[in-house]
Amino acid sequence: MSTTHEPLKQWVEEMTQLCQPDNVVWSDGSQNEWDTLTQLLCDKGVFTRLNEEKRPNSFLARSAPSDVARVEDRTYICSEDEADCGPTNNWYDPAAMKELLKPKFKGSMKGRTMYVIPFCMGPLDSPLAKIGVEVTDSAYVVVNMRIMAKIGAPVLSRLEDEAAGKVDFGRDGHGTFVPCLHTVGAPLEPGQEDVSWPCNEDKYISHFPETQEIWSYGSGYGGNALLGKKCLALRIASTIAKKNGWMAEHMLILGIENPEGEKRYISAAFPSACGKTNLAMLVPPKELTDKGWKVTTIGDDIAWLWPHADGTLHAINPECGWFGVAPGTSYETNPNAMDSMLENAIFTNVGLTDDGDVWWEGMTDEAPAHLIDWKGNDWTPESEGPSSHPNARFTAPASQCPCIDPEWTNPDGVSIDAFLFGGRRESTMPLVFQSKSWEHGAFIGSVMGSEVTAAAIGLKPGVRRDPMAMLPFIGYHVGDYLQNWIDIGNKVEKLPAIFNTNWFRKDADGKWLWPGFGDNTRVLEWVLRRATGEVGGKETFIGTVPNWEDFNAEGLDFSEEDFNKVMDLDKEEWAEEIATQQEFLDKIGDKLPAEIAQERAALIERVKG
Ligand code: OXD
Ligand code: MN
């Protein structure tokens, strides 16, 4: 297979010459290809086929213990001008980065196959869709990409047709693709035996925003290797979005239908490991389901949003699958995610049960008596350390999610009524409050933070400020990114209302003050009723909070006193919060939008008042 798309053909030839694979295979995305590659991975010992009866067509992989997460300290934004990269990214000169990487890529695929994967982020017919082509020497990447994105023949022919002028979906980037180069960086000498998870200790996840290219070296794991996700759909897309007046955000998208049958959509930004996938697929508690409340899912990680001709912000999910954190996921916490991975799924770094199924911490109350752990060793409940890596993942098709929204592949997206921000905060932050305006909401998002957990390595514990949960994913200067938020506010007639939430507040004894999970629907109910102007609220120095009378606690063991605790505003805590927010805002420097600085000054005045 090859292509009539000349620039693509030429690029693949160049990459072949550079990386010197033994052979080149164009991915067609077919079932046959999946069957062949998953079998190949089984034969090579990379995959273990799970019990066909319990988990049909599903596989377990174990990565190298040194290759288990995104590597933020090895992630680079290579903009021409260092000033465009900003203080929150690692910068490298683009020409110098290519000079540095070329010798590493040279011959990096020797002894391996180079797969060429045309992929499309977003529905193929969406004007916002982005086509990328990943070349990779990892068959694991190909099969994961097949779940996470539309790949192969239909994408290639769309690209060819666009370039030949046969079709035009008004796609920005019409006829072009984002080249994504990936190698695990482990060439094989003739006769050299392969390891089950080849990778390199040296890792570079490099982005070239001006030329819209991605070069990833040395890792085979997750966002480092499945380049459509964080690299393209967030870092590169955010730079395209900024230029063209739209937004690429680290947000889930969910649908919520009230008892009157009115359907609305909410998009929510939470840092990694704050239960975003759980919220995206939440099951309302019985009292609310009985009344007719329903929640559906469009996406669990990324939203692309644009000012639509109808005067609202529309959103699509550019992905086709879930790449979720396994530990903690269970039929209690997220039955829809559990059902999404019943078949045709890939598991990475979880435990293997004696009957050929998977298990991880939190899946059931009681651990199986014996497992093979994520490092391939025997494991019993008495063993030291968990059976699964804390950042172990499941890759599952979104189409298998029981609560998938009927509009999830609508190329025109869905209209968003509310944005939620939130993080994992044990104190200070109440369960929910609404911003006073779009600009105030942008300020709240700019200083949101979360207590650090396992999805990113090499971080100090404490509250990490994470603007709009985009800190590791903004492909350019954070100040310019915040300006894009302000600018969008001036372009959209009917803007989403903005809220901040915190499901994780604790009392002095370390007990959770809010049950979370399905009961978060109660918060969403208030959010929607506020967004549509159905209920009032109480003005406070941080924003508008619910009145107890408007908060639906029906059927929940949750008193007005409990409500007051989880909603408590402590001015001393807030004085401390504001001081630490400032440390982060100071880093942004001159590019901090004036509107954000003004909102901050106004908050300080209100806290004093
Ligand atoms: C993710 C992340 O994997 O945010 O989605 O780290
Ligand atoms: Mn994420």
Side-chain angles (χ1 to χ4, degrees):
M1 200 169 130
S2 182
T3 177
T4 59
H5 193 285
E6 275 308 318
L8 173 56
K9 197 160 134 192
Q10 211 176 326
W11 178 68
V12 171
E13 268 162 27
E14 270 170 42
M15 294 305 106
T16 309
Q17 269 166 30
L18 177 66
C19 302
Q20 299 163 28
D22 280 5
N23 52 331
V24 178
V25 171
W26 286 70
S27 158
D28 64 8
S30 64
Q31 183 62 41
N32 188 33
E33 172 179 284
W34 164 277
D35 294 340
T36 309
L37 289 183
T38 50
Q39 189 54 51
L40 179 87
L41 286 160
C42 288
D43 296 343
K44 288 179 120 187
V46 184
F47 271 2
T48 301
R49 189 181 292 277
L50 298 175
N51 184 324
E52 272 298 327
E53 262 155 41
K54 296 191 168 258
R55 200 126 357 215
N57 196 27
S58 298
F59 303 88
L60 166 69
R62 296 187 193 104
S63 79
S66 62
D67 195 21
V68 291
R70 290 186 289 101
V71 281
E72 290 181 13
D73 56 338
R74 308 300 304 158
T75 298
Y76 294 89
I77 300 298
C78 307
S79 49
E80 292 289 343
D81 185 349
E82 185 173 0
D84 291 334
C85 167
T88 56
N89 287 313
N90 302 310
W91 180 78
Y92 215 95
D93 176 76
M97 178 58 89
K98 285 191 177 172
E99 280 319 299
L100 175 88
L101 286 183
K102 268 189 192 152
K104 295 183 192 292
F105 276 98
K106 192 155 186 243
S108 61
M109 298 188 186
K110 275 188 188 160
R112 300 188 184 280
T113 296
M114 181 171 102
Y115 299 95
V116 182
I117 319 168
F119 64 93
C120 182
M121 304 309 291
L124 208 46
D125 294 349
S126 175
L128 232 61
K130 293 276 160 289
I131 291 180
V133 180
E134 177 162 354
V135 299
T136 176
D137 51 6
S138 164
Y140 169 90
V141 165
V142 183
V143 289
N144 274 274
M145 284 290 283
R146 185 174 183 264
I147 297 177
M148 296 306 296
K150 215 165 290 65
I151 70 166
V155 181
L156 184 60
S157 53
R158 167 58 54 84
L159 182 64
E160 290 171 341
D161 287 351
E162 280 184 356
K166 290 187 198 158
V167 291
D168 188 347
F169 284 84
R171 192 170 70 79
D172 134 52
H174 174 86
T176 68
F177 65 97
V178 177
C180 306
L181 170 59
H182 173 249
T183 179
V184 294
L188 291 169
E189 294 306 325
Q192 185 184 342
E193 211 180 307
D194 204 358
V195 294
S196 68
W197 188 276
C199 61
N200 197 299
E201 289 310 301
D202 205 14
K203 294 176 176 45
Y204 287 87
I205 320 299
S206 301
H207 307 72
F208 302 88
E210 278 95 1
T211 50
Q212 292 178 20
E213 293 170 275
I214 300 160
W215 288 29
S216 168
Y217 180 86
S219 168
Y221 202 87
N224 302 331
L226 313 177
L227 301 186
K229 192 176 180 65
K230 304 298 187 182
C231 296
L232 197 159
L234 285 176
R235 296 194 192 97
I236 293 293
S238 67
T239 67
I240 302 174
K242 162 77 178 164
K243 212 160 74 198
N244 296 318
W246 53 278
M247 311 163 95
E249 299 296 332
H250 192 203
M251 286 183 170
L252 65 87
I253 309 165
L254 63 81
I256 176 159
E257 193 178 312
N258 69 13
E260 289 73 49
E262 291 159 348
K263 179 80 168 279
R264 307 210 171 246
Y265 292 93
I266 296 178
S267 209
F270 296 90
S272 309
C274 283
K276 216 162 115 196
T277 302
N278 294 346
L279 181 66
M281 298 168 202
L282 107 182
V283 179
K286 190 170 174 328
E287 302 79 33
L288 275 81
T289 315
D290 285 351
K291 281 211 175 124
W293 287 93
K294 269 194 215 117
V295 172
T296 49
T297 309
I298 297 237
D300 79 326
D301 196 37
I302 300 176
W304 286 352
L305 303 117
W306 73 104
H308 191 273
D310 71 6
T312 71
L313 260 187
H314 273 224
I316 55 169
N317 168 15
E319 302 190 279
C320 293
W322 319 137
F323 184 67
V325 176
T329 307
S330 71
Y331 274 100
E332 289 284 301
T333 62
N334 194 338
N336 288 308
M338 294 300 282
D339 281 348
S340 304
M341 54 177 113
L342 285 175
E343 54 186 338
N344 314 313
I346 299 168
F347 299 86
T348 310
N349 289 343
V350 303
L352 176 68
T353 64
D354 290 348
D355 59 358
D357 201 4
V358 285
W359 190 84
W360 49 75
E361 279 64 28
M363 184 200 264
T364 53
D365 286 341
E366 212 175 306
H370 176 260
L371 295 167
I372 303 295
D373 71 9
W374 73 278
K375 290 183 178 164
N377 299 321
D378 284 308
W379 185 94
T380 69
E382 283 72 47
S383 297
E384 212 181 290
S387 70
S388 303
H389 185 275
N391 192 37
R393 298 285 178 145
F394 58 86
T395 322
S399 59
Q400 292 180 185
C401 183
C403 63
I404 198 75
D405 190 280
E407 298 298 319
W408 84 284
T409 53
N410 185 341
D412 200 35
V414 294
S415 172
I416 300 294
D417 278 287
F419 278 145
L420 305 189
F421 295 132
R424 192 177 271 276
R425 297 294 303 269
E426 294 194 357
S427 68
T428 319
M429 286 292 163
L431 179 62
V432 60
F433 65 97
Q434 183 184 8
S435 75
K436 293 173 178 290
S437 64
W438 177 263
E439 288 76 14
H440 181 225
F443 162 64
I444 291 167
S446 75
V447 289
M448 67 188 252
S450 192
E451 276 122 24
V452 166
T453 54
I457 53 175
L459 296 173
K460 286 199 211 94
V463 174
R464 165 159 116 142
R465 297 290 155 192
D466 190 349
M468 286 78 174
M470 279 289 280
L471 188 73
F473 308 122
I474 306 170
Y476 58 104
H477 195 296
V478 57
D480 292 331
Y481 166 80
L482 295 174
Q483 188 61 49
N484 191 47
W485 269 79
I486 300 296
D487 295 345
I488 292 285
N490 295 321
K491 273 190 211 149
V492 178
E493 218 173 288
K494 194 179 169 301
L495 285 161
I498 301 180
F499 299 80
N500 195 79
T501 59
N502 177 25
W503 322 129
F504 301 96
R505 197 167 188 178
K506 288 182 175 173
D507 68 11
D509 301 326
K511 238 179 70 224
W512 304 112
L513 287 168
W514 174 247
F517 299 108
D519 286 310
N520 292 337
T521 321
R522 301 170 189 277
V523 176
L524 300 186
E525 177 184 337
W526 183 75
V527 159
L528 280 188
R529 293 171 72 206
R530 275 298 298 165
T532 53
E534 258 177 72
V535 287
K538 196 165 80 196
E539 290 306 315
T540 72
F541 63 91
I542 60 164
T544 312
V545 299
N547 291 310
W548 166 244
E549 304 75 66
D550 295 324
F551 191 78
N552 184 352
E554 191 190 331
L556 188 65
D557 181 16
F558 189 74
S559 64
E560 184 169 0
E561 201 186 324
D562 296 328
F563 175 78
N564 290 337
K565 273 191 207 154
V566 77
M567 290 303 302
D568 182 48
L569 295 178
D570 179 325
K571 283 207 170 172
E572 260 172 47
E573 282 179 355
W574 272 88
E576 164 79 23
E577 171 71 13
I578 287 169
T580 59
Q581 286 175 356
Q582 187 60 33
E583 286 166 26
F584 177 72
L585 293 177
D586 283 347
K587 277 215 266 182
I588 300 178
D590 293 350
K591 286 199 171 184
L592 182 73
E595 290 83 351
I596 303 268
Q598 278 154 19
E599 288 300 337
R600 178 185 151 69
L603 171 65
I604 292 174
E605 281 311 305
R606 290 196 300 266
V607 173
K608 277 192 203 147

